[in-house]
Amino acid sequence: MDWLLDSYGTGPIRTMDTPSQIAIVIRRRPFNIRCQYQHVAEMDVQKQLLEMDMEEQAMRDVHEQLMHPIIIAMKGHPCTGKTTIARTLAGSLGYPLLAQDDLLDYAGDKSFEAICRIAATQLSLRIRVVIDSPLTSQAHRDRLVQLAESTRARLIIVECIPRDEYEWRQRLERRAMVDQSYKPSTWGDLQEMLGKYEDYDVGAVPKLILDTTKVFKHGGLVSATLRIAFYQNPHIVELDQWEDLAMSRLKAKQSKEERGRYKHLHTLGLSNEGKDTKGTCNICSELVSGQAYDCDECEFILHKFCAELSDKVQRLPDECPPFFRAIPPAYSFPEKHVCDACIDAKKGFSDECYDCLFLTNLKCKLLPTILHHECHEHPLRIAIIPLNSNFEFICRGCGHFGKGIAYGCHRCRLHFHVSCLLLPRTLKHRTHGDPLTLNYFPPNDGSSEYYCNACEGERKPSHWIYYCADHEFAAHMSCMTPEVRPYDMQNVKRLEILRM
């Protein structure tokens, strides 16, 4: 994972170089009838793929791409991470970065015009540029369009939208602590500023939308930016759905047998009982009948009972190996199994092989392949990733980072620590007299601030808590059990609660 800090070093924006599964959403802008945006509700997947294939023809003319410079223009409100993303793009692509903030003290209200004139010089030399500015004014957007037309440049807008309000607020507060002259300095000031702001239609300009409070692929950001810039039709695209379309297009060109020859994370779905299933279970090697989990990319199949380890799931908190509960220095399996691909290559077990790791857990029956949890509506699938990879994730349960082993929901694109999923559903604690239940979403009382009743510290509403409905008592998981590390190790009261 690449760690990116904003220009003041006040908060991380996280990027990943590991494969993720994403799909495209192309939305119609309502205010400009000249733009031919495709609305996802009006198109099925095949039509989207056909259109993108047609547009790929425009990208195959390398000479035409080299003839045109590019303007990558950032857009976003304060503390949305646009400066960090601008630096990421400029550094990865080797483009000069033109930041409006650098000229404010010298040019004042003319600072945007100043960077446009500097950009014009670079573009005339066919040097592609990244422009870092809020771009909150339509007049500024119009100026960039005029700049692109006069220099025959491709223009793309990269808009940063932090959809997690809690993270956005924390980022603003950290920024204000580092720079006391920064405005807006409080969340209330920012909300007042946003209340006066009216968004505008970008017109016939392609735009890439990025949620900077999510983990995303570094390489995916760069690739999507360049590809969208050169498409013939102006699209508005969500980054966190871009790569799924690319993956779908790749799969569409391969047969099921061809896909099965390559290592991949099995996308397991539960088949119907009436489905004519042929094959043997990859765990017990018996013929599969009735409901089963199978992979739509290869011939992998598991009995429902075997995949869920129904006879063992209640004992998991006591029997789960310790190296599954934390980030291990190495995988310490009691026995090791070699996948077919490594056997064909005349290799032994490799802890750098996805399939060897997956097969070993299957055969050893250490953890279920599919886990159902009361705090999440969809089944969760285990992923055991080589420790030398860049795979890291943010646990939706506790909010901390994880590496190597996770349970994930493909539909929601969420990951969970094994240790968080094995926490007791109910417990009693000295800070509260009644039993507490592990809960993912307590009733909303309309408040914009959320606190832990045990340590009185602030808590994030999207994270799991231990909760008593009768007394509306909500507590951090880390306050109730030592299995979860506290967010803030400097919070003495929380550490004292843990020692109770």
Side-chain angles (χ1 to χ4, degrees), residues 64-65 77 80 113 120 122 235 277 312 315 320 325 331 362 389 418 424 468 484:
E64 197 247 343
Q65 291 190 45
H77 296 297
T80 57
E113 178 60 28
Q122 305 301 311
H235 291 306
T277 306
K312 184 178 180 178
R315 305 193 306 272
C320 176
R325 294 179 178 268
Y331 290 128
L362 279 179
S389 75
V418 172
C468 174
V484 182

Side-chain angles (χ1 to χ4, degrees), residues 407-464:
Y407 275 96
C409 176
H410 171 67
R411 293 176 63 180
C412 301
R413 299 186 179 92
L414 299 177
H415 292 87
F416 300 87
H417 291 126
V418 172
S419 57
C420 289
L421 296 174
L422 298 183
L423 290 175
R425 301 295 200 274
T426 60
L427 56 75
K428 292 197 69 174
H429 196 270
R430 295 179 182 180
T431 58
H432 191 68
D434 293 338
L436 300 171
T437 302
L438 190 62
N439 198 303
Y440 70 99
F441 191 72
N444 188 356
D445 58 2
S447 174
S448 60
E449 297 182 348
Y450 301 84
Y451 294 93
C452 171
N453 294 108
C455 71
E456 300 179 359
E458 192 173 4
R459 63 179 177 84
K460 187 172 181 179
S462 61
H463 292 164
W464 293 358

Side-chain angles (χ1 to χ4, degrees), residues 153-295:
R154 297 278 188 171
L155 170 62
I156 180 171
I157 294 174
V158 178
E159 182 171 11
C160 298
I161 302 178
R163 293 197 169 95
D164 188 326
E165 186 177 290
Y166 178 88
E167 292 289 350
W168 191 6
R169 183 172 60 186
Q170 292 293 309
R171 193 179 296 169
L172 175 65
E173 292 174 357
R174 290 192 296 264
R175 176 87 172 255
M177 290 178 61
V178 173
D179 182 4
Q180 297 183 357
S181 64
Y182 181 76
K183 300 295 181 182
S185 59
T186 66
W187 183 249
D189 292 341
L190 177 59
Q191 293 303 305
E192 183 178 354
M193 184 194 77
L194 296 180
K196 301 176 182 178
Y197 170 75
E198 293 185 6
D199 201 3
Y200 59 88
D201 178 29
V202 298
V205 177
K207 182 167 74 170
L208 177 65
I209 300 174
L210 170 63
D211 182 358
T212 55
T213 58
K214 283 186 176 181
V215 176
F216 60 90
K217 289 179 61 180
H218 184 176
L221 168 65
V222 175
S223 174
T225 301
L226 294 180
R227 285 182 173 271
I228 296 167
F230 277 99
Y231 282 147
Q232 292 178 329
N233 295 327
H235 291 306
I236 293 181
V237 179
E238 295 274 356
L239 177 65
D240 67 349
Q241 298 171 333
W242 168 261
E243 289 187 351
D244 229 6
L245 181 63
M247 183 66 68
S248 298
R249 297 177 70 248
L250 177 62
K251 292 178 181 179
K253 296 177 180 179
Q254 294 178 329
S255 66
K256 192 170 185 177
E257 292 74 18
E258 288 174 330
R259 294 196 298 268
R261 297 192 193 111
Y262 301 95
K263 298 181 180 181
H264 61 279
L265 297 177
H266 300 293
T267 54
L268 300 176
L270 185 62
S271 63
N272 298 324
E273 290 190 25
K275 181 180 178 180
D276 184 17
T277 306
K278 296 180 180 179
T280 57
C281 174
N282 284 69
I283 292 183
C284 66
S285 299
E286 295 183 4
L287 187 66
V288 173
S289 61
Q291 284 191 308
Y293 288 96
D294 57 359
C295 179

Side-chain angles (χ1 to χ4, degrees), residues 87-158:
R87 292 183 174 183
T88 300
L89 289 168
S92 299
L93 296 169
Y95 300 171
L97 173 61
L98 309 179
Q100 186 175 357
D101 287 348
D102 294 341
L103 298 178
L104 282 176
D105 293 339
Y106 305 98
D109 295 340
K110 303 294 185 182
S111 57
F112 188 80
E113 178 60 28
I115 61 173
C116 285
R117 294 191 180 189
I118 296 172
T121 302
Q122 305 301 311
L123 295 168
S124 67
L125 300 173
R126 295 182 183 173
I127 298 175
R128 300 172 173 182
V129 299
V130 178
I131 295 179
D132 178 21
S133 76
L135 206 60
T136 53
S137 167
Q138 185 165 1
H140 288 174
R141 173 265 178 199
D142 295 341
R143 178 68 177 91
L144 289 179
V145 171
Q146 185 271 329
L147 175 63
E149 291 175 350
S150 64
T151 57
R152 298 186 63 199
R154 297 278 188 171
L155 170 62
I156 180 171
I157 294 174
V158 178

Side-chain angles (χ1 to χ4, degrees), residues 236-374:
I236 293 181
V237 179
E238 295 274 356
L239 177 65
D240 67 349
Q241 298 171 333
W242 168 261
E243 289 187 351
D244 229 6
L245 181 63
M247 183 66 68
S248 298
R249 297 177 70 248
L250 177 62
K251 292 178 181 179
K253 296 177 180 179
Q254 294 178 329
S255 66
K256 192 170 185 177
E257 292 74 18
E258 288 174 330
R259 294 196 298 268
R261 297 192 193 111
Y262 301 95
K263 298 181 180 181
H264 61 279
L265 297 177
H266 300 293
T267 54
L268 300 176
L270 185 62
S271 63
N272 298 324
E273 290 190 25
K275 181 180 178 180
D276 184 17
T277 306
K278 296 180 180 179
T280 57
C281 174
N282 284 69
I283 292 183
C284 66
S285 299
E286 295 183 4
L287 187 66
V288 173
S289 61
Q291 284 191 308
Y293 288 96
D294 57 359
C295 179
D296 61 359
E297 300 182 36
C298 65
E299 303 300 329
F300 186 86
I301 189 169
L302 298 173
H303 285 120
K304 183 177 185 294
F305 179 87
C306 293
E308 298 175 357
L309 293 183
S310 304
D311 60 335
K312 184 178 180 178
V313 67
Q314 298 298 328
R315 305 193 306 272
L316 284 178
D318 299 324
E319 298 181 359
C320 176
F323 70 89
F324 275 167
R325 294 179 178 268
I327 300 176
Y331 290 128
S332 303
F333 294 107
E335 58 185 65
K336 299 176 180 179
H337 295 265
V338 186
C339 70
D340 292 340
C342 289
I343 292 176
D344 292 342
K346 298 182 179 180
K347 297 179 181 178
F349 171 86
S350 172
D351 57 9
E352 298 180 5
C353 172
Y354 291 87
D355 287 355
C356 284
L357 295 173
F358 186 76
L359 181 64
T360 296
N361 178 68
L362 279 179
K363 296 296 185 181
C364 294
K365 298 184 179 180
L366 300 176
L367 288 175
T369 304
I370 303 294
L371 182 66
H372 298 272
H373 197 278
E374 295 173 358

